[in-house]
Amino acid sequence: MSLSFLQSLETMNKSGVSTVAQFVLLGFSGPWKMQIILFSMILFMYILTLTGNMIIIWAVKWDNRLHTPMYMLLANFSFLEIWYVTCTVPNMLVNFFSKTKTISFDGCFIQFYFFFSLGTTECFFLCVMAYDRYLAICRPLHYPSIMTGQLCAILVSLCWLIGFLGHSITIFFISQLPFCGPNIIDHFLCDVDQLMALSCAHAPIIEHTFHSVSSLIIILTMLYILGSYILVLRAVLQIPSSVGQQKAFSTCGSHLVVVSLFYGTIVVMYVSPTSGNSVAMHKIITLIYSVVTPGLNPLIYSLRNRDMKFALRQVLCGMRITHTS
């Protein structure tokens, strides 16, 4: 960041140029009936996400057999998903019935920071989960000695730490830009492109730095995950037992569905050129990876995992017994 650019920002802020106190999130436009349907669908997905992920966390905590690195990672991933949807969806739902559809300047940047930090954390969590599956299938004899509880805790901590530090500096500089003109964001959340477009100062260095960091994180983590599962697939095909192959494919297949849904949409949004895509398309893509995918994760992980299904049945049975007694 050049010294002259920082000095110009300081001068503009001192002169009172930055006057925007709040932004307007237009959200989804269209007939009222269509908005009611969309509101109901998003609310359903939000409730499904909260309920499903909370049940997974509860099942892992309750069942001692699930106190393994794989399920501890899954519980942390579920905790992440709860906060990932909560940083955007409640405000999105309120805006369906709001006449002003406003969000404060600070609220917008807080949402911006948490949305990207949690999204970055999810990329690293998916990497760690792929590494866990690689060790379990490709190096099963060494798995207990390598993937210990201590290593699992260190990897989880690093995911959260790197995720929340990755974009902190660039988002801080974006928040210091002067916003003195229009304050209308044609989106349902505060995203980087819309905020940069509203700034009075042209800051290509900040914008390029943000997109470069995002692209680097997405591409490197995606390549690592793909590489891990290629090795896993090769090892699975060498398993002589068809039952063993089926179990390995079932476990890894669910992970790959999550990875494909999440990375497929964020690559379109933040890596590939999207200038030709319409605003409506941007909203739909963002809705998929920020609302739909977190809602599908509990179903994918629980319904395709025998141990998790058994633990969930035990939890539900325990709840019934407690309720009747």
Side-chain angles (χ1 to χ4, degrees):
M1 211 71 63
S2 64
L3 180 61
S4 60
F5 176 74
L6 294 176
Q7 288 175 341
S8 66
L9 285 184
E10 184 178 359
T11 302
M12 293 180 77
N13 286 328
K14 285 182 178 179
S15 63
V17 174
S18 182
T19 58
V20 171
Q22 59 187 13
F23 295 99
V24 178
L25 294 173
L26 294 181
F28 294 94
S29 59
W32 179 243
K33 289 184 178 179
M34 182 62 67
Q35 292 197 41
I36 290 295
I37 294 173
L38 193 57
F39 170 85
S40 302
M41 293 172 61
I42 295 173
L43 179 61
F44 172 76
M45 291 301 299
Y46 183 55
I47 295 173
L48 180 66
T49 302
L50 294 184
T51 306
N53 284 293
M54 285 180 180
I55 289 176
I56 287 177
I57 295 172
W58 192 7
V60 172
K61 181 180 179 180
W62 180 86
D63 195 334
N64 292 330
R65 291 168 302 180
L66 299 184
H67 291 179
T68 62
M70 174 182 171
Y71 294 106
M72 296 305 293
L73 289 172
L74 180 56
N76 275 274
F77 188 71
S78 294
F79 179 76
L80 165 67
E81 294 290 62
I82 290 172
W83 287 107
Y84 187 51
V85 294
T86 300
C87 75
T88 58
V89 174
N91 184 73
M92 188 196 317
L93 294 174
V94 170
N95 277 355
F96 274 100
F97 300 98
S98 173
K99 293 182 179 179
T100 58
K101 300 182 183 296
T102 57
I103 183 172
S104 67
F105 184 91
D106 292 337
C108 183
F109 275 93
I110 289 172
Q111 183 193 73
F112 178 31
Y113 172 70
F114 275 95
F115 182 70
F116 275 90
S117 296
L118 290 167
T120 303
T121 305
E122 180 162 346
C123 289
F124 287 106
F125 257 108
L126 290 172
C127 275
V128 173
M129 293 169 77
Y131 174 65
D132 176 75
R133 290 301 84 206
Y134 162 76
L135 288 177
I137 294 174
C138 298
R139 304 185 65 184
L141 298 179
H142 298 91
Y143 178 79
S145 60
I146 297 176
M147 185 57 76
T148 61
Q150 183 179 6
L151 178 60
C152 183
I154 291 173
L155 292 175
V156 167
S157 300
L158 285 175
C159 287
W160 287 102
L161 183 63
I162 298 173
F164 274 79
L165 291 178
H167 289 295
S168 57
I169 296 176
T170 50
I171 291 178
F172 170 76
F173 279 113
I174 294 173
S175 70
Q176 299 305 301
L177 293 173
F179 293 87
C180 51
N183 65 339
I184 297 176
I185 298 176
D186 194 1
H187 211 319
F188 56 79
L189 53 80
C190 296
D191 206 352
V192 58
D193 291 333
Q194 287 77 15
L195 288 171
M196 293 300 297
L198 293 178
S199 173
C200 302
H202 184 56
I205 297 177
I206 297 178
E207 188 172 3
H208 291 327
T209 301
F210 186 92
H211 283 296
S212 297
V213 172
S214 298
S215 299
L216 191 65
I217 291 172
I218 292 170
I219 292 172
L220 290 180
T221 55
M222 183 176 63
L223 290 176
Y224 179 84
I225 293 169
L226 289 176
S228 298
Y229 281 112
I230 288 173
L231 295 176
V232 167
L233 179 61
R234 188 177 66 176
V236 168
L237 294 176
Q238 294 175 353
I239 297 176
S241 171
S242 60
V243 176
Q245 286 186 354
Q246 185 178 2
K247 183 177 180 180
F249 272 123
S250 178
T251 303
C252 296
S254 61
H255 293 200
L256 284 174
V257 170
V258 174
V259 170
S260 300
L261 284 173
F262 182 69
Y263 275 96
T265 49
I266 64 173
V267 164
V268 172
M269 280 296 297
Y270 301 109
V271 178
S272 64
T274 57
S275 57
N277 293 340
S278 65
V279 175
M281 182 59 66
H282 282 195
K283 294 178 184 179
I284 293 172
I285 294 172
T286 306
L287 193 67
I288 291 173
Y289 73 80
S290 64
V291 179
V292 177
T293 303
L296 295 178
N297 286 348
L299 298 176
I300 292 171
Y301 280 111
S302 60
L303 293 181
R304 294 184 62 84
N305 188 291
R306 184 179 302 174
D307 294 334
M308 181 59 69
K309 286 191 288 186
F310 180 79
L312 293 177
R313 282 198 297 266
Q314 293 294 103
V315 169
L316 294 175
C317 290
M319 291 174 58
R320 290 174 184 173
I321 293 173
T322 304
H323 179 71
T324 55
S325 60

